[in-house]
Amino acid sequence: MRKSMKCITALFLLTALLLPALAGCKKADFNASKAVDAYLAVETKGEFDLYAEMSGKNKEILKAQYDAALLGLKGMFQELEYLGVSFGDDFIEELKNLMASGKYQVIGHQKEDGDYVVDVDVFPSDVLDLFFSNIMTEALTMGDMNDMGTVLIEALQTAIAYQTYGDPISRQVRVSYNKDTKDYEINQEDIQKILGDFYSMEGVMEDLLDLYEPSGTVYDNPYLNWSAEEWNAASEEEKTQCCLSLVQELYGFSDEEMASIDLNSADAQTGLQAIKDGLDMNFQGLGAQMKIGDYMEFLRTQMGFY
């Protein structure tokens, strides 16, 4: 899962559509601030009219590029190793909302030897921090991974709704006049930096790594000392006994209370499978080095079990 999250982060840092340079604008009429603002409106909000007018580009082509970028972003989410689910058109709409929530302000521009430097303030959002936090919270307790697509959409909706923005980051975008083509060109590296600033990932990976750091605790119950190696090598019956030990420790049940559980009932089977799925997910992701007892403590402290 660590690799997948880094892939998503990299995607947001490199999510520019790489549209062609501005073309067709007369040098005398050119407004660099307006051009950069129009370009960013295409990248973030899918608003094509002004950029098409300034550049002479076909709006349908611009829309096709924008839609292709969204599909690529959707594909990256679908490749998250621990999900393995597919998402419908609703998810595309949420990705549009995510991109459109990027906050920036074009301040103005200065002319330098026939070229321009445009000043842009970017307000970083914590939307991805919220999003990944929501996913981890839901994924660790859900019983049916087929619901993960819905969970992911809802996590994204919530993150967009409750995101906050930090202090502005000052950026500059170079806009150069190409004497050979007689076109203005917006510097793509500068645009990439702005798009990367939209979505802060500060602390998210560090928090996850801290969350899954092995405690070093030696537990009295031998099942709680299992790591991924013991879990993966165990039979289904041994995994069931391990899960029952986890339940007993987590809820503080007595031996008599545990003995009264009908393990053949549908509810018990569903619950045990949910725990097994949760442990499988834990050991496949950042918690690969955790013991089952550490996982129990995570559930107890982070998920509200006492």
Side-chain angles (χ1 to χ4, degrees):
M1 184 167 60
R2 183 186 305 182
K3 183 178 77 174
S4 296
M5 291 184 68
K6 285 185 176 179
C7 286
I8 291 294
T9 305
L11 183 66
F12 275 96
L13 295 179
L14 301 173
T15 191
L17 305 185
L18 299 178
L19 298 174
L22 283 169
C25 296
K26 294 181 180 180
K27 190 174 181 180
D29 299 332
F30 184 71
N31 185 307
S33 296
K34 189 176 180 180
V36 169
D37 203 7
Y39 188 102
L40 288 171
V42 172
E43 296 275 13
T44 59
K45 301 178 177 64
E47 296 177 355
F48 313 109
D49 289 351
L50 182 56
Y51 183 77
E53 178 185 343
M54 296 188 71
S55 66
K57 303 298 181 184
N58 186 296
K59 285 194 294 185
E60 293 303 316
I61 294 177
L62 295 178
K63 184 178 185 305
Q65 291 175 314
Y66 173 77
D67 290 342
L70 287 172
L71 286 173
L73 184 55
K74 175 185 172 184
M76 287 296 295
F77 276 96
Q78 286 179 294
E79 290 177 10
L80 282 170
E81 294 163 356
Y82 68 103
L83 296 182
V85 297
S86 51
F87 311 109
D89 293 338
D90 289 345
F91 192 66
I92 286 287
E93 291 303 312
E94 291 310 318
L95 291 178
K96 289 181 181 179
N97 293 334
L98 173 64
M99 295 301 297
S101 71
K103 185 177 179 182
Y104 67 92
Q105 182 179 5
V106 177
I107 305 301
H109 63 262
Q110 307 86 42
K111 193 171 183 179
E112 297 181 357
D113 298 326
D115 297 334
Y116 295 89
V117 175
V118 180
D119 295 309
V120 181
D121 278 351
V122 185
F123 300 84
S125 164
D126 60 357
V127 64
L128 293 185
D129 288 14
L130 296 175
F131 173 63
F132 284 121
S133 177
N134 292 341
I135 291 176
M136 293 304 301
T137 299
E138 294 295 330
L140 284 169
T141 56
M142 68 187 307
D144 187 353
M145 289 302 293
N146 291 327
D147 294 334
M148 197 60 194
T150 300
V151 168
L152 200 147
I153 289 177
E154 292 177 352
L156 190 54
Q157 289 173 333
T158 301
I160 293 171
Y162 290 96
Q163 67 183 307
T164 58
Y165 298 91
D167 295 332
I169 299 171
S170 297
R171 290 290 186 187
Q172 291 187 323
V173 179
R174 291 163 289 172
V175 183
S176 303
Y177 185 72
N178 188 318
K179 295 180 181 179
D180 294 329
T181 62
K182 296 182 172 56
D183 292 335
Y184 282 98
E185 298 177 350
I186 296 176
N187 186 279
Q188 292 297 300
E189 291 182 2
D190 296 340
I191 293 294
Q192 295 283 13
K193 291 177 182 178
I194 287 177
L195 295 172
D197 290 337
F198 281 155
Y199 308 105
S200 170
M201 290 293 290
E202 182 180 357
V204 65
M205 288 303 298
E206 289 81 1
D207 289 346
L208 285 169
L209 291 172
D210 290 344
L211 191 63
Y212 286 102
E213 185 71 24
S215 68
T217 303
V218 177
Y219 297 92
D220 293 335
N221 188 321
Y223 284 118
L224 299 184
N225 291 311
W226 277 14
S227 64
E229 184 177 1
E230 288 82 11
W231 174 257
N232 291 329
S235 66
E236 284 303 310
E237 176 58 31
E238 289 172 325
K239 287 182 177 181
T240 295
Q241 293 304 315
C242 178
C243 291
L244 290 173
S245 294
L246 177 59
V247 168
Q248 183 171 18
E249 293 286 344
L250 195 58
Y251 290 97
F253 289 158
S254 66
D255 291 341
E256 291 76 14
E257 288 173 318
M258 292 300 297
S260 68
I261 298 175
D262 180 6
L263 297 182
N264 295 317
S265 69
D267 287 344
Q269 290 295 314
T270 300
L272 286 169
Q273 189 58 52
I275 297 172
K276 290 178 181 179
D277 289 344
L279 286 168
D280 281 337
M281 184 185 303
N282 171 69
F283 287 135
Q284 289 170 7
L286 292 174
Q289 303 305 314
M290 290 176 70
K291 294 180 180 180
I292 287 178
D294 294 339
Y295 179 74
M296 177 192 70
E297 292 301 329
F298 168 79
L299 293 175
R300 178 174 287 154
T301 59
Q302 301 293 327
M303 311 306 291
F305 289 94
Y306 294 97

